[in-house]
Amino acid sequence: MSSHKQPNREVGATINDTFLSRAECNIMRGFAIIFIIVDNMTHRFNGVFMDNEYNFMWSSVKGFLNNLMHPDATLPFNLISFYCPYGLMLFVFLSGYCLTLKYEKGNGRGTSSKVFIANHYKKLFVMQLKGLALFLMVYFILYPDKGVRSPLVFQFLLLGNLYPSTSWFCIPGPYWFFGMIMEMYVIYRLLIYNRSDWVAIALTVFSIVVMAFFDPEGDMLSYLRINGFIAMLPFCMGVLAARHLNASSFSLNKTSVSAGIFLLAFVLLTASKFNFYSWLIMPIFIIITAVTLVKLFSKVRLLDSAFSWLGAMSGVLFVIHPTVREIFFVRMDDTSKYYAMVLVYLLITFGVSMILKPAFTSKKKEE
């Protein structure tokens, strides 16, 4: 493990030496965003069980298993709900990974805590503000009788996750992620940045142990998870990967090695979803599965191009899709048209995101 000053790191490392290249990071973003936008639509269908993202509900696991043993037209959507709600963890992993490359090995070294936190807050605030404004405009057109809920003020300020109630945080869709990732930025800069690996490991272990003491179906666990406890493990995995792994690590550039590790990680990912305690460490298998899948997809030009495009659009797709989804929620009861509904939803989401991309993308991109 590294020392406090991390003297053994090569500050001159290029992007080609890194564990995940820029192109591979973009492919992973593509995975993450397509998982998020599809899952956030399909888990609201009748007969589809919402997966355990914030709490561990055995009823959801039991419902999925029952559908698996007695398959019907909803099975594909239950498989999506079972495996795809973890795109946010991929974004969290990439955040830890890219922050470490930039601020510990790259041109961001020496940035003060004040500047670091202010810059990231501004970036997230502006992005969320644009998305929430569009969402609320459509929301009040669809539901003119509904008033503004006071916690939205906290949400706009990236403080909504801290509001002492978990009954409202998902109302504006997945925008709670902005507050949570801001918390991780602050934790990184104040506690993890340029410190021993043991700090990241200790924070990870602490978050898992604390969650293990709470009711798997209780509000307190949900509150902890939307406030960074769900993110600590994948975020610190990203930090450690950026510090210690390189392009040749684990020989993942060999197709056979990537395929073998992917299959093993996928099996462990599946198995971990059936027990509360293994569910707490499931991000380990999610990240390994995603990394190996990225390595495999990068070898196939069509898949590489498709997911790279999605990755480049991921930020805009993330803030736009809740608005498009809200329009479709008024038609959720038509169970005979699920496939067509998802296809149209995706096409509209992609189309609107491409049209509005200039308004949601800053001219000066951060490396």
Side-chain angles (χ1 to χ4, degrees):
M1 293 297 175
S2 51
S3 66
H4 178 79
K5 294 184 179 180
Q6 305 295 345
N8 59 326
R9 296 182 194 160
E10 297 182 12
V11 296
T14 67
I15 193 67
N16 293 325
D17 299 323
T18 58
F19 182 55
L20 292 171
S21 67
R22 290 183 188 275
E24 289 171 335
C25 287
N26 233 22
I27 294 174
M28 186 176 288
R29 290 187 186 97
F31 289 160
I33 195 60
I34 198 66
F35 290 167
I36 289 169
I37 62 179
V38 172
D39 175 69
N40 281 344
M41 177 69 169
T42 58
H43 70 221
R44 298 297 294 266
F45 288 164
N46 290 332
V48 176
F49 293 90
M50 192 168 181
D51 192 61
N52 294 324
E53 188 172 3
Y54 312 108
N55 292 92
F56 185 83
M57 305 284 189
W58 179 249
S59 58
S60 295
V61 178
K62 186 177 179 181
F64 169 76
L65 289 174
N66 183 65
N67 188 229
L68 195 64
M69 291 184 290
H70 304 91
D72 57 22
T74 65
L75 180 58
F77 302 103
N78 269 310
L79 287 169
I80 291 172
S81 183
F82 192 70
Y83 284 110
C84 294
Y86 305 108
L88 289 176
M89 293 190 185
L90 303 188
F91 280 130
V92 169
F93 169 81
L94 287 172
S95 293
Y97 181 80
C98 293
L99 285 176
T100 303
L101 287 182
K102 177 174 181 178
Y103 291 98
E104 296 185 24
K105 293 187 173 185
N107 58 11
R109 285 173 293 158
T111 303
S112 68
S113 300
K114 182 178 179 180
V115 171
F116 176 94
I117 293 172
N119 286 345
H120 284 86
Y121 183 89
K122 178 181 177 181
K123 181 176 65 175
L124 292 174
F125 176 82
V126 171
M127 194 69 170
Q128 181 196 238
L129 178 64
K130 294 175 181 179
L132 268 177
L134 179 63
F135 176 90
L136 291 174
M137 180 178 67
V138 171
Y139 186 81
F140 289 130
I141 291 174
L142 294 173
Y143 311 105
D145 296 332
K146 293 189 177 182
V148 177
R149 305 179 70 172
S150 58
L152 280 177
V153 175
F154 290 83
Q155 184 68 51
F156 273 113
L157 297 175
L158 304 182
L159 299 172
N161 306 54
L162 298 174
Y163 192 80
S165 171
T166 58
S167 62
W168 73 274
F169 77 91
C170 63
I171 296 301
Y175 294 113
W176 65 271
F177 175 78
F178 287 94
M180 183 196 70
I181 202 65
M182 188 65 226
E183 292 174 2
M184 298 311 300
Y185 287 157
V186 173
I187 290 171
Y188 170 77
R189 187 58 185 82
L190 298 183
L191 299 178
I192 298 174
Y193 172 72
N194 267 353
R195 287 186 167 84
S196 168
D197 294 336
W198 289 109
V199 175
I201 293 170
L203 287 170
T204 301
V205 172
F206 173 77
S207 68
I208 294 171
V209 171
V210 169
M211 289 190 291
F213 277 99
F214 287 95
D215 177 6
E217 300 186 10
D219 285 345
M220 190 60 195
L221 180 62
S222 179
Y223 183 78
L224 290 174
R225 286 175 70 81
I226 66 171
N227 273 295
F229 281 71
I230 193 176
M232 193 62 70
L233 175 53
F235 185 88
C236 289
M237 286 179 69
V239 171
L240 297 178
R243 286 178 178 177
H244 299 292
L245 302 182
N246 55 48
S248 61
S249 296
F250 305 114
S251 300
L252 289 180
N253 289 325
K254 295 181 179 179
T255 302
S256 58
V257 174
S258 290
I261 296 177
F262 167 78
L263 290 174
L264 176 61
F266 185 77
V267 170
L268 293 173
L269 163 61
T270 302
S272 67
K273 294 171 73 68
F274 295 97
N275 177 272
F276 172 58
Y277 298 105
S278 60
W279 172 74
L280 293 174
I281 63 168
M282 186 174 60
I284 296 174
F285 310 122
I286 293 171
I287 301 305
I288 295 174
T289 300
V291 167
T292 51
L293 201 59
V294 164
K295 296 291 184 180
L296 292 170
F297 274 36
S298 65
K299 300 178 186 299
V300 182
R301 179 171 297 181
L302 179 61
L303 295 174
D304 186 337
S305 299
F307 282 93
S308 292
W309 179 83
L310 285 170
M313 291 284 294
S314 61
V316 183
L317 288 167
F318 185 85
V319 295
I320 292 294
H321 86 271
T323 301
V324 179
R325 181 185 64 168
E326 197 66 30
I327 297 171
F328 278 82
F329 276 176
V330 299
R331 298 180 175 84
M332 281 294 104
D333 294 331
D334 193 352
T335 58
S336 65
K337 298 180 180 179
Y338 282 176
Y339 290 99
M341 194 180 299
V342 171
L343 178 60
V344 174
Y345 160 69
L346 290 176
L347 290 175
I348 294 177
T349 301
F350 293 152
V352 173
S353 296
M354 291 173 68
I355 293 171
L356 296 181
K357 184 178 180 181
F360 283 81
T361 306
S362 60
K363 293 181 180 180
K364 183 179 179 181
K365 291 186 178 180
E366 185 175 352
E367 290 295 319

